[in-house]
Amino acid sequence: MIRRLISLIVLIVALTTLVSLAGTSQQLTPALTSLLRLEDRRAASTVSTESLPAYTRKVAGKPRFQRYFTRLALSDDAGASPHSGQITRWTKRRVRIDILNNGGAGTEAYVRRLVSRLNHMQSTTRFMLVDGSADITIEFLSHEAYALAVGDDSVGNCETRFYMGTPGLVSAAIKIDAGALDSPEERRAVIIHELTHALGFKGHLSQPRDRTRSVLYYAASIDQWTQDDGAAIRIMYSSKIKNGMNAANVRKALRRISAAQPASSAEGRATP
């Protein structure tokens, strides 16, 4: 009996240590489920592809957009092709976002507008700005503190924890080097860039022609989601995209979305 108790204690200590490990993206295993306090366990109801706006369904069938979506939704560590990684996104009904400290004048209002826009673009998961316990945190650091915590080769970082299957994303911690950003416009561009990573988009675009195509251009430069960004977010949180899908699965899903017949409620809508 004592031997079993000791073994159980050792196992709990080992698992707890694994949970606390830091990393840009940390995969959790099903064995850790009982050690994590997961709120809103009830799965969100995904949006049917037939209800997606016309532009989103149309662009899903375009090879250029398919390459764009696959690169952003999956890890780009291996380069443009072949893509590595699998889909990881939120499946909770509600995802809470907390700004941990002062990000400068207008920052909270800007994040609030982004959250409102997110909820307008998709209705699978409701994102909400809170003050307290949160799933996504945003922290602004001095240049010295950021360099110590993250490094000095970037101005923003999003560290996520996730399961490869259900429930997908578990948490995201955004850190921003406020000391290196001279203007509110630069700060907003980094905020929306890192928040988009926190939605489950891991990759970046790097070609100069893509500078204004997406907030995930590797050097953040725009502070509003583009039409293609909006389409990508809608698709990511639609019924055809699921956690654990690889590049081949994603391409098949995009073709199915493109082929879907429009629902009467979505007919004629021109927004992404």
Side-chain angles (χ1 to χ4, degrees):
M1 183 68 180
I2 294 177
R3 185 175 297 174
R4 287 184 179 178
L5 181 60
I6 293 174
S7 299
L8 180 60
I9 292 172
V10 170
L11 177 61
I12 291 173
V13 170
L15 291 175
T16 304
T17 302
L18 180 57
V19 170
S20 65
L21 291 175
T24 301
S25 58
Q26 177 188 354
Q27 181 180 350
L28 305 176
T29 64
L32 300 177
T33 302
S34 60
L35 298 179
L36 294 171
R37 186 172 65 85
L38 299 177
E39 298 179 357
D40 302 318
R41 285 185 173 87
R42 185 179 175 190
S45 300
T46 53
V47 176
S48 67
T49 53
E50 293 80 7
S51 297
L52 292 172
Y55 176 83
T56 300
R57 286 182 283 104
K58 178 181 179 181
V59 78
K62 303 293 185 182
R64 185 165 179 253
F65 179 85
Q66 291 176 354
R67 291 192 295 271
Y68 153 84
F69 182 87
T70 307
R71 184 175 182 89
L72 295 189
L74 305 175
S75 172
D76 61 356
D77 292 343
S81 182
H83 295 288
S84 60
Q86 297 181 9
I87 291 288
T88 53
R89 66 174 181 86
W90 298 97
T91 56
K92 297 175 62 174
R93 294 174 66 86
R94 292 185 294 274
V95 172
R96 298 169 177 84
I97 303 171
D98 185 19
I99 303 172
L100 298 181
N101 55 355
N102 187 1
T107 296
E108 182 177 339
Y110 173 67
V111 175
R112 197 174 295 279
R113 289 196 299 272
L114 293 182
V115 170
S116 176
R117 179 63 179 151
L118 267 179
N119 292 329
H120 175 76
M121 287 191 292
Q122 58 79 45
S123 57
T124 297
T125 294
R126 179 170 178 77
F127 294 87
M128 51 203 310
L129 198 60
V130 301
D131 184 11
S133 178
D135 308 291
I136 300 173
T137 57
I138 303 174
E139 183 178 13
F140 298 90
L141 303 175
S142 67
H143 178 66
E144 294 74 16
Y146 182 89
L148 186 62
V150 179
D152 58 3
D153 58 348
S154 68
V155 292
N157 181 71
C158 179
E159 179 182 299
T160 60
R161 295 193 306 164
F162 62 92
Y163 289 87
M164 195 57 75
T166 302
L169 282 170
V170 171
S171 68
I174 295 170
K175 289 182 171 59
I176 294 174
D177 186 351
L181 301 171
D182 297 327
S183 69
E185 292 78 15
E186 289 177 331
R187 192 167 300 188
R188 289 196 298 267
V190 175
I191 290 171
I192 196 171
H193 180 105
E194 299 304 335
L195 182 59
T196 308
H197 282 318
L199 299 179
F201 292 95
K202 309 178 189 67
H204 295 91
L205 299 179
S206 58
Q207 297 299 317
R209 65 175 180 271
D210 293 323
R211 177 180 294 273
T212 58
R213 188 184 185 193
S214 172
V215 298
L216 287 180
Y217 182 70
Y218 81 97
S221 58
I222 55 177
D223 61 4
Q224 297 294 329
W225 284 297
T226 65
Q227 191 175 37
D228 280 353
D229 286 334
I233 290 169
R234 290 181 190 272
I235 289 171
M236 176 70 93
Y237 285 86
S238 72
S239 60
K240 287 293 188 287
I241 301 296
K242 302 182 186 302
N243 281 313
M245 294 177 73
N246 59 22
N249 299 144
V250 168
R251 284 191 287 268
K252 289 178 183 177
L254 291 172
R255 289 194 292 269
R256 288 196 294 269
I257 290 170
S258 178
Q261 295 298 314
S264 57
S265 60
E267 197 70 56
R269 292 172 63 185
T271 54

